[in-house]
Amino acid sequence: MAGYIPYGRQSITEADIAAVVDVLESDFLTQGPVVPAFEEAVKAQCGAKHGIAVNSATSALHIACMALDVGPGDSVWTSPLTFVASSNAALYCGASVDFVDVDPRTYNMCPEKLARKLDKAAEQGTLPKVIIPVHLTGQSCDMAAIHAAASRHGVRIIEDASHAIGGCFRGEPVGNCRYSDIAVFSFHPVKIVTTGEGGMAMTNDARLAEMMALYRSHGITRDPDLLQQQDAGPWYYEQHHLGYNYRMTDINAALGLSQMERLQAFVERRRAIAATYDEAFAGLPITTPWQHADAGSAWHLYVIRVDRSRASQSHRAVFDELRSAGIGVNLHYIPVYLQPYYRQLGFEPGLCPNAESYYAEAISLPMFPSITDEQQQEVIAEVSKAVAL
Ligand SMILES: *Cc1c(COP(=O)(O)O)cnc(C)c1O
């Protein structure tokens, strides 16, 4: 479509292409040296001790739940405003899920609501084993408060940081796991850094790293120290757990490694785009993204909320008008528990009122480093027209 401006897209340079071609011409397309090099680069950026690269963030969430022993009879809580994968990962393990409503300003899991829900669950003997806060749009959750509430009850934490590589909390990079057991990144093309498809699970816990590395590749080990039968032969390996083939290829890792060199530039450009939107929308009947003082967003998404009492048109009409004008707006996300699959598990509308009122008003605008100033001005003009008083 001519002039169509998507909500997100990858930025690929000649250097990215050359890095991928190098792998194609090398001896290893997978299980070579580039995956560990990419893991090193991400560890160095976020300051975590271990990084397990996999073929998607969905896989990373799954092996993270497995490493924390999530299974039948356990429950896992997450945010309703997320991609379905955050919650599906727990279902893969046979656990049940529940949702904690969001803060009305950040749209992230509300620490006070979490604390109250945990206290109640403790009284009833229904505490979750794991919670999965999600850094929606790239803005970190209040991880200090979430960690304080969860650790009072011995509940473990997986951060779904799919939107947030390059972001920070209290001046430290997201993914350093100061307030969590594991943090997960996504490298899908719409995210901050891409590998085509890919993800990584970060942790400071050697045992969790070891388990996730096993689950990534069939539960198989070749480590001589771990083998039950020693000296069986050079071909020998043992399967100790039921794992999967969730490995990342070296082709994908080469793209990611090359992209990591531009992470700071990506985030700076995204921040500048956000500042331009903020300024342009100041007088309009829309709510621009509120920022928590402790969080430095990676700006994966720029979400506006249409003020239903003041805008000239409904949320739906504004959305449709922008789409017909060639602006690839989107909505992140439909509250997960409203999905038919989750309704059939027994969830009902009304569970998380803040998430539902967000859903009735939110629109994700185009936000990606290579958007031109002209394109952004076009988005601003169309939004202004669509919500005009
Ligand atoms: C993109 C995304 C995922 C899934 O990532 P994949 O790499 O596509 O599997 C999970 N959670 C959130 C919040 C996401 O945005």
PDB file of all heavy atoms in Angstrom, residues 55-59 61 82-83 85-86 134 160 162-163 185-188 190-191 197-199 300 333, ligand 1:
ATOM      1  N   ASN A  55      14.562 -19.674  20.298  1.00  0.00           N
ATOM      2  CA  ASN A  55      13.977 -19.297  19.012  1.00  0.00           C
ATOM      3  C   ASN A  55      12.795 -18.331  19.121  1.00  0.00           C
ATOM      4  O   ASN A  55      12.264 -17.885  18.109  1.00  0.00           O
ATOM      5  CB  ASN A  55      13.590 -20.553  18.225  1.00  0.00           C
ATOM      6  CG  ASN A  55      12.623 -21.434  18.997  1.00  0.00           C
ATOM      7  OD1 ASN A  55      12.212 -21.100  20.113  1.00  0.00           O
ATOM      8  ND2 ASN A  55      12.260 -22.553  18.426  1.00  0.00           N
ATOM      9  N   SER A  56      12.368 -17.981  20.327  1.00  0.00           N
ATOM     10  CA  SER A  56      11.334 -16.953  20.509  1.00  0.00           C
ATOM     11  C   SER A  56      11.236 -16.605  21.992  1.00  0.00           C
ATOM     12  O   SER A  56      11.696 -17.372  22.846  1.00  0.00           O
ATOM     13  CB  SER A  56       9.961 -17.439  20.026  1.00  0.00           C
ATOM     14  OG  SER A  56       9.447 -18.429  20.890  1.00  0.00           O
ATOM     15  N   ALA A  57      10.636 -15.478  22.278  1.00  0.00           N
ATOM     16  CA  ALA A  57      10.373 -15.137  23.678  1.00  0.00           C
ATOM     17  C   ALA A  57       9.345 -16.099  24.270  1.00  0.00           C
ATOM     18  O   ALA A  57       9.360 -16.381  25.465  1.00  0.00           O
ATOM     19  CB  ALA A  57       9.868 -13.700  23.792  1.00  0.00           C
ATOM     20  N   THR A  58       8.455 -16.592  23.430  1.00  0.00           N
ATOM     21  CA  THR A  58       7.469 -17.572  23.894  1.00  0.00           C
ATOM     22  C   THR A  58       8.190 -18.801  24.451  1.00  0.00           C
ATOM     23  O   THR A  58       7.859 -19.287  25.542  1.00  0.00           O
ATOM     24  CB  THR A  58       6.535 -17.967  22.729  1.00  0.00           C
ATOM     25  OG1 THR A  58       5.945 -16.772  22.211  1.00  0.00           O
ATOM     26  CG2 THR A  58       5.460 -18.930  23.172  1.00  0.00           C
ATOM     27  N   SER A  59       9.191 -19.303  23.697  1.00  0.00           N
ATOM     28  CA  SER A  59       9.989 -20.438  24.184  1.00  0.00           C
ATOM     29  C   SER A  59      10.736 -20.065  25.462  1.00  0.00           C
ATOM     30  O   SER A  59      10.845 -20.877  26.385  1.00  0.00           O
ATOM     31  CB  SER A  59      11.009 -20.857  23.123  1.00  0.00           C
ATOM     32  OG  SER A  59      10.383 -21.162  21.908  1.00  0.00           O
ATOM     33  N   LEU A  61       9.844 -17.908  27.745  1.00  0.00           N
ATOM     34  CA  LEU A  61       8.882 -17.897  28.851  1.00  0.00           C
ATOM     35  C   LEU A  61       8.557 -19.327  29.290  1.00  0.00           C
ATOM     36  O   LEU A  61       8.429 -19.611  30.480  1.00  0.00           O
ATOM     37  CB  LEU A  61       7.600 -17.164  28.428  1.00  0.00           C
ATOM     38  CG  LEU A  61       7.724 -15.644  28.290  1.00  0.00           C
ATOM     39  CD1 LEU A  61       6.582 -15.076  27.432  1.00  0.00           C
ATOM     40  CD2 LEU A  61       7.729 -14.972  29.668  1.00  0.00           C
ATOM     41  N   THR A  82      -1.130  -7.944  27.880  1.00  0.00           N
ATOM     42  CA  THR A  82       0.078  -8.542  27.340  1.00  0.00           C
ATOM     43  C   THR A  82      -0.296  -9.384  26.143  1.00  0.00           C
ATOM     44  O   THR A  82      -1.485  -9.646  25.889  1.00  0.00           O
ATOM     45  CB  THR A  82       0.803  -9.400  28.401  1.00  0.00           C
ATOM     46  OG1 THR A  82       2.063  -9.838  27.863  1.00  0.00           O
ATOM     47  CG2 THR A  82      -0.022 -10.618  28.809  1.00  0.00           C
ATOM     48  N   PHE A  83       0.735  -9.820  25.432  1.00  0.00           N
ATOM     49  CA  PHE A  83       0.513 -10.781  24.369  1.00  0.00           C
ATOM     50  C   PHE A  83       0.188 -12.117  25.039  1.00  0.00           C
ATOM     51  O   PHE A  83       0.703 -12.415  26.124  1.00  0.00           O
ATOM     52  CB  PHE A  83       1.775 -10.880  23.496  1.00  0.00           C
ATOM     53  CG  PHE A  83       1.602 -11.779  22.314  1.00  0.00           C
ATOM     54  CD1 PHE A  83       0.574 -11.588  21.416  1.00  0.00           C
ATOM     55  CD2 PHE A  83       2.481 -12.831  22.107  1.00  0.00           C
ATOM     56  CE1 PHE A  83       0.413 -12.432  20.318  1.00  0.00           C
ATOM     57  CE2 PHE A  83       2.334 -13.668  21.020  1.00  0.00           C
ATOM     58  CZ  PHE A  83       1.295 -13.474  20.126  1.00  0.00           C
ATOM     59  N   ALA A  85       1.199 -14.950  24.862  1.00  0.00           N
ATOM     60  CA  ALA A  85       2.303 -15.866  25.188  1.00  0.00           C
ATOM     61  C   ALA A  85       2.701 -15.809  26.665  1.00  0.00           C
ATOM     62  O   ALA A  85       3.110 -16.830  27.235  1.00  0.00           O
ATOM     63  CB  ALA A  85       3.523 -15.552  24.321  1.00  0.00           C
ATOM     64  N   SER A  86       2.597 -14.640  27.311  1.00  0.00           N
ATOM     65  CA  SER A  86       3.007 -14.522  28.729  1.00  0.00           C
ATOM     66  C   SER A  86       2.222 -15.499  29.581  1.00  0.00           C
ATOM     67  O   SER A  86       2.742 -16.076  30.527  1.00  0.00           O
ATOM     68  CB  SER A  86       2.761 -13.114  29.276  1.00  0.00           C
ATOM     69  OG  SER A  86       3.085 -12.126  28.358  1.00  0.00           O
ATOM     70  N   VAL A 134       4.788  -7.650  33.169  1.00  0.00           N
ATOM     71  CA  VAL A 134       5.124  -7.353  31.769  1.00  0.00           C
ATOM     72  C   VAL A 134       5.441  -5.862  31.654  1.00  0.00           C
ATOM     73  O   VAL A 134       4.652  -5.033  32.109  1.00  0.00           O
ATOM     74  CB  VAL A 134       3.917  -7.696  30.857  1.00  0.00           C
ATOM     75  CG1 VAL A 134       4.243  -7.407  29.399  1.00  0.00           C
ATOM     76  CG2 VAL A 134       3.488  -9.145  31.051  1.00  0.00           C
ATOM     77  N   ASP A 160       8.484 -10.377  31.941  1.00  0.00           N
ATOM     78  CA  ASP A 160       8.334 -10.414  30.485  1.00  0.00           C
ATOM     79  C   ASP A 160       8.800  -9.049  29.982  1.00  0.00           C
ATOM     80  O   ASP A 160       8.043  -8.070  29.977  1.00  0.00           O
ATOM     81  CB  ASP A 160       6.897 -10.728  30.063  1.00  0.00           C
ATOM     82  CG  ASP A 160       6.773 -10.876  28.546  1.00  0.00           C
ATOM     83  OD1 ASP A 160       7.668 -10.377  27.826  1.00  0.00           O
ATOM     84  OD2 ASP A 160       5.784 -11.472  28.084  1.00  0.00           O
ATOM     85  N   SER A 162       9.841  -8.404  26.958  1.00  0.00           N
ATOM     86  CA  SER A 162       9.828  -8.474  25.490  1.00  0.00           C
ATOM     87  C   SER A 162       9.887  -7.095  24.840  1.00  0.00           C
ATOM     88  O   SER A 162      10.425  -6.945  23.748  1.00  0.00           O
ATOM     89  CB  SER A 162       8.560  -9.191  25.010  1.00  0.00           C
ATOM     90  OG  SER A 162       8.615 -10.548  25.355  1.00  0.00           O
ATOM     91  N   HIS A 163       9.304  -6.076  25.522  1.00  0.00           N
ATOM     92  CA  HIS A 163       9.251  -4.729  24.945  1.00  0.00           C
ATOM     93  C   HIS A 163      10.417  -3.855  25.401  1.00  0.00           C
ATOM     94  O   HIS A 163      10.494  -2.702  24.995  1.00  0.00           O
ATOM     95  CB  HIS A 163       7.977  -4.008  25.405  1.00  0.00           C
ATOM     96  CG  HIS A 163       6.710  -4.640  24.964  1.00  0.00           C
ATOM     97  ND1 HIS A 163       5.467  -4.112  25.248  1.00  0.00           N
ATOM     98  CD2 HIS A 163       6.475  -5.776  24.250  1.00  0.00           C
ATOM     99  CE1 HIS A 163       4.523  -4.871  24.730  1.00  0.00           C
ATOM    100  NE2 HIS A 163       5.106  -5.903  24.139  1.00  0.00           N
ATOM    101  N   PHE A 185      13.538 -11.519  26.970  1.00  0.00           N
ATOM    102  CA  PHE A 185      13.481 -10.558  25.856  1.00  0.00           C
ATOM    103  C   PHE A 185      12.938 -11.240  24.605  1.00  0.00           C
ATOM    104  O   PHE A 185      13.158 -12.440  24.396  1.00  0.00           O
ATOM    105  CB  PHE A 185      14.875 -10.026  25.508  1.00  0.00           C
ATOM    106  CG  PHE A 185      15.510  -9.181  26.578  1.00  0.00           C
ATOM    107  CD1 PHE A 185      16.796  -9.463  27.029  1.00  0.00           C
ATOM    108  CD2 PHE A 185      14.844  -8.096  27.129  1.00  0.00           C
ATOM    109  CE1 PHE A 185      17.406  -8.681  28.010  1.00  0.00           C
ATOM    110  CE2 PHE A 185      15.443  -7.306  28.109  1.00  0.00           C
ATOM    111  CZ  PHE A 185      16.722  -7.602  28.536  1.00  0.00           C
ATOM    112  N   SER A 186      12.278 -10.446  23.746  1.00  0.00           N
ATOM    113  CA  SER A 186      11.849 -10.928  22.424  1.00  0.00           C
ATOM    114  C   SER A 186      12.633 -10.197  21.338  1.00  0.00           C
ATOM    115  O   SER A 186      12.881  -8.999  21.454  1.00  0.00           O
ATOM    116  CB  SER A 186      10.355 -10.671  22.199  1.00  0.00           C
ATOM    117  OG  SER A 186      10.009 -10.966  20.840  1.00  0.00           O
ATOM    118  N   PHE A 187      12.966 -10.930  20.291  1.00  0.00           N
ATOM    119  CA  PHE A 187      13.652 -10.329  19.142  1.00  0.00           C
ATOM    120  C   PHE A 187      12.840 -10.474  17.863  1.00  0.00           C
ATOM    121  O   PHE A 187      13.378 -10.638  16.771  1.00  0.00           O
ATOM    122  CB  PHE A 187      15.053 -10.954  18.996  1.00  0.00           C
ATOM    123  CG  PHE A 187      15.877 -10.881  20.257  1.00  0.00           C
ATOM    124  CD1 PHE A 187      16.301 -12.032  20.903  1.00  0.00           C
ATOM    125  CD2 PHE A 187      16.216  -9.647  20.809  1.00  0.00           C
ATOM    126  CE1 PHE A 187      17.050 -11.967  22.079  1.00  0.00           C
ATOM    127  CE2 PHE A 187      16.964  -9.562  21.984  1.00  0.00           C
ATOM    128  CZ  PHE A 187      17.387 -10.731  22.617  1.00  0.00           C
ATOM    129  N   HIS A 188      11.517 -10.442  18.017  1.00  0.00           N
ATOM    130  CA  HIS A 188      10.628 -10.387  16.857  1.00  0.00           C
ATOM    131  C   HIS A 188      10.868  -9.058  16.121  1.00  0.00           C
ATOM    132  O   HIS A 188      11.240  -8.071  16.756  1.00  0.00           O
ATOM    133  CB  HIS A 188       9.171 -10.500  17.356  1.00  0.00           C
ATOM    134  CG  HIS A 188       8.171 -10.528  16.251  1.00  0.00           C
ATOM    135  ND1 HIS A 188       7.688  -9.378  15.669  1.00  0.00           N
ATOM    136  CD2 HIS A 188       7.581 -11.555  15.614  1.00  0.00           C
ATOM    137  CE1 HIS A 188       6.831  -9.704  14.706  1.00  0.00           C
ATOM    138  NE2 HIS A 188       6.752 -11.015  14.661  1.00  0.00           N
ATOM    139  N   VAL A 190       9.166  -6.551  15.172  1.00  0.00           N
ATOM    140  CA  VAL A 190       8.589  -5.285  15.647  1.00  0.00           C
ATOM    141  C   VAL A 190       9.229  -4.808  16.948  1.00  0.00           C
ATOM    142  O   VAL A 190       9.011  -3.673  17.367  1.00  0.00           O
ATOM    143  CB  VAL A 190       7.048  -5.344  15.866  1.00  0.00           C
ATOM    144  CG1 VAL A 190       6.335  -5.604  14.561  1.00  0.00           C
ATOM    145  CG2 VAL A 190       6.667  -6.353  16.937  1.00  0.00           C
ATOM    146  N   LYS A 191       9.997  -5.659  17.620  1.00  0.00           N
ATOM    147  CA  LYS A 191      10.573  -5.295  18.923  1.00  0.00           C
ATOM    148  C   LYS A 191      11.804  -4.399  18.725  1.00  0.00           C
ATOM    149  O   LYS A 191      12.167  -4.065  17.609  1.00  0.00           O
ATOM    150  CB  LYS A 191      10.886  -6.558  19.730  1.00  0.00           C
ATOM    151  CG  LYS A 191       9.703  -7.531  19.857  1.00  0.00           C
ATOM    152  CD  LYS A 191       8.565  -6.985  20.721  1.00  0.00           C
ATOM    153  CE  LYS A 191       7.253  -7.744  20.577  1.00  0.00           C
ATOM    154  NZ  LYS A 191       7.205  -9.072  21.136  1.00  0.00           N
ATOM    155  N   GLU A 197      13.145 -14.195  14.228  1.00  0.00           N
ATOM    156  CA  GLU A 197      12.424 -14.717  15.391  1.00  0.00           C
ATOM    157  C   GLU A 197      13.494 -15.002  16.432  1.00  0.00           C
ATOM    158  O   GLU A 197      14.600 -15.427  16.085  1.00  0.00           O
ATOM    159  CB  GLU A 197      11.691 -16.033  15.083  1.00  0.00           C
ATOM    160  CG  GLU A 197      10.547 -15.933  14.079  1.00  0.00           C
ATOM    161  CD  GLU A 197       9.225 -15.483  14.685  1.00  0.00           C
ATOM    162  OE1 GLU A 197       9.174 -15.175  15.897  1.00  0.00           O
ATOM    163  OE2 GLU A 197       8.236 -15.438  13.928  1.00  0.00           O
ATOM    164  N   GLY A 198      13.175 -14.804  17.697  1.00  0.00           N
ATOM    165  CA  GLY A 198      14.167 -15.125  18.715  1.00  0.00           C
ATOM    166  C   GLY A 198      13.792 -14.557  20.065  1.00  0.00           C
ATOM    167  O   GLY A 198      12.925 -13.682  20.178  1.00  0.00           O
ATOM    168  N   GLY A 199      14.445 -15.080  21.076  1.00  0.00           N
ATOM    169  CA  GLY A 199      14.229 -14.598  22.437  1.00  0.00           C
ATOM    170  C   GLY A 199      15.422 -14.959  23.290  1.00  0.00           C
ATOM    171  O   GLY A 199      16.323 -15.696  22.848  1.00  0.00           O
ATOM    172  N   HIS A 300       9.106   0.782  23.059  1.00  0.00           N
ATOM    173  CA  HIS A 300       8.674  -0.157  22.025  1.00  0.00           C
ATOM    174  C   HIS A 300       7.394   0.352  21.355  1.00  0.00           C
ATOM    175  O   HIS A 300       7.249   0.288  20.146  1.00  0.00           O
ATOM    176  CB  HIS A 300       8.451  -1.541  22.643  1.00  0.00           C
ATOM    177  CG  HIS A 300       7.686  -2.479  21.773  1.00  0.00           C
ATOM    178  ND1 HIS A 300       8.044  -2.744  20.477  1.00  0.00           N
ATOM    179  CD2 HIS A 300       6.551  -3.199  22.003  1.00  0.00           C
ATOM    180  CE1 HIS A 300       7.176  -3.601  19.947  1.00  0.00           C
ATOM    181  NE2 HIS A 300       6.261  -3.874  20.842  1.00  0.00           N
ATOM    182  N   TYR A 333      -3.085  -4.340  24.336  1.00  0.00           N
ATOM    183  CA  TYR A 333      -3.549  -5.606  23.804  1.00  0.00           C
ATOM    184  C   TYR A 333      -5.012  -5.803  24.175  1.00  0.00           C
ATOM    185  O   TYR A 333      -5.504  -5.171  25.104  1.00  0.00           O
ATOM    186  CB  TYR A 333      -2.761  -6.764  24.445  1.00  0.00           C
ATOM    187  CG  TYR A 333      -1.305  -6.807  24.033  1.00  0.00           C
ATOM    188  CD1 TYR A 333      -0.352  -6.202  24.835  1.00  0.00           C
ATOM    189  CD2 TYR A 333      -0.921  -7.447  22.860  1.00  0.00           C
ATOM    190  CE1 TYR A 333       0.993  -6.242  24.471  1.00  0.00           C
ATOM    191  CE2 TYR A 333       0.428  -7.502  22.498  1.00  0.00           C
ATOM    192  CZ  TYR A 333       1.378  -6.893  23.299  1.00  0.00           C
ATOM    193  OH  TYR A 333       2.687  -6.925  22.931  1.00  0.00           O
TER     194      TYR A 333
HETATM  195  C1  LIG B   1       6.283 -10.268  21.426  1.00  0.00           C
HETATM  196  C2  LIG B   1       5.890 -10.658  22.800  1.00  0.00           C
HETATM  197  C3  LIG B   1       5.970 -11.973  23.270  1.00  0.00           C
HETATM  198  C4  LIG B   1       6.312 -13.128  22.388  1.00  0.00           C
HETATM  199  O1  LIG B   1       7.499 -12.934  21.732  1.00  0.00           O
HETATM  200  P1  LIG B   1       7.909 -13.926  20.549  1.00  0.00           P
HETATM  201  O2  LIG B   1       9.375 -13.671  20.427  1.00  0.00           O
HETATM  202  O3  LIG B   1       7.131 -13.502  19.341  1.00  0.00           O
HETATM  203  O4  LIG B   1       7.594 -15.317  20.976  1.00  0.00           O
HETATM  204  C5  LIG B   1       5.686 -12.233  24.587  1.00  0.00           C
HETATM  205  N1  LIG B   1       5.295 -11.240  25.422  1.00  0.00           N
HETATM  206  C6  LIG B   1       5.168  -9.966  25.001  1.00  0.00           C
HETATM  207  C7  LIG B   1       4.768  -8.920  25.979  1.00  0.00           C
HETATM  208  C8  LIG B   1       5.446  -9.640  23.677  1.00  0.00           C
HETATM  209  O5  LIG B   1       5.294  -8.389  23.265  1.00  0.00           O
END
